[in-house]
Amino acid sequence: MTKTAFSDQNCYFCTVANGEADPWIFENRSFISIFDTNPVNPGHALVIPKRHVASLFDLNDHEHEDYFDALYAVKRVIESTDLKALYEEMPGREYLKGRPTDHIEAVLKLPFLGNKPDAYTIGNNDGRAAGRSIDHLHVILLPRYQGDVENPKGGIRNVISERAHYQRL
Ligand SMILES: [Zn+2]
């Protein structure tokens, strides 16, 4: 693993991008990827630039190219990983000792764990007002499964739930 040239020592995702935290599941020239240790659904992955850059809109030209390469490749990694084995192994990781593992236990109980994803939600809270808590870009690649929520219609529109509903005539 190579140390990144532009990192902030107080930033968790710089630590990850330096190979000092979560194990990488993918690396290209500009991005690395990890499985989120607070998974919302089986296979929940993060695609993170090596450079400490806050916004998707601040990526440079070669990062733009590498962004889609990373998304496509991480999708393939998600679909070829034994996710049951992943979540059985994850709570035993040294750096997670003493941290809550309820998200991991919850996905281990999901009836669709082990199924191929039926769809994806691809998301990025690009700024604090959008819910960002670490100012280093991390694109969420979230596998979706038939029946994972009661009514998926609207998808990411539901982040502002009172304005999520719409009707197309
Ligand atoms: Zn950073």
Side-chain angles (χ1 to χ4, degrees):
M1 295 188 221
T2 48
K3 283 257 181 192
T4 56
F6 307 97
S7 67
D8 176 339
Q9 60 181 9
N10 298 313
C11 168
Y12 182 70
F13 286 129
C14 282
T15 308
V16 173
N18 282 330
E20 292 161 6
D22 309 75
W24 298 350
I25 59 170
F26 170 79
E27 177 189 16
N28 69 11
R29 176 175 54 170
S30 308
F31 289 84
I32 58 97
S33 178
I34 59 172
F35 281 120
D36 197 303
T37 53
N38 290 300
V40 171
N41 246 355
H44 177 173
L46 301 177
V47 176
I48 302 165
K50 293 179 177 177
R51 186 167 67 99
H52 181 80
V53 56
S55 171
L56 187 71
F57 301 107
D58 292 335
L59 294 179
N60 62 33
D61 289 349
H62 72 258
E63 287 167 337
H64 272 211
E65 274 173 43
D66 297 344
Y67 171 71
F68 279 100
D69 173 67
L71 280 186
Y72 281 60
V74 173
K75 175 179 183 288
R76 289 194 297 271
V77 172
I78 291 167
E79 292 177 5
S80 61
T81 295
D82 180 343
L83 296 174
K84 183 170 182 287
L86 170 75
Y87 295 116
E88 284 170 347
E89 162 273 309
M90 196 176 262
R93 293 180 186 175
E94 197 55 43
Y95 68 97
L96 294 179
K97 292 269 156 62
R99 295 239 312 260
T101 55
D102 48 319
H103 281 80
I104 299 170
E105 283 148 31
V107 292
L108 278 168
K109 291 184 190 133
L110 291 171
F112 45 82
L113 174 65
N115 293 4
K116 184 173 184 289
D118 297 302
Y120 282 88
T121 293
I122 300 160
N124 162 35
N125 301 317
D126 208 282
R128 291 271 165 162
R132 167 72 62 78
S133 52
I134 298 178
D135 294 318
H136 183 142
L137 175 63
H138 45 291
V139 177
I140 299 154
L141 187 50
L142 182 67
R144 301 296 305 272
Y145 302 86
Q146 211 71 50
D148 64 1
V149 296
E150 198 175 322
N151 177 14
K153 188 175 162 77
I156 208 163
R157 292 177 59 90
N158 293 307
V159 296
I160 303 179
S161 56
E162 62 269 33
R163 292 202 294 278
H165 302 291
Y166 67 97
Q167 198 81 46
R168 290 258 192 279
L169 298 174

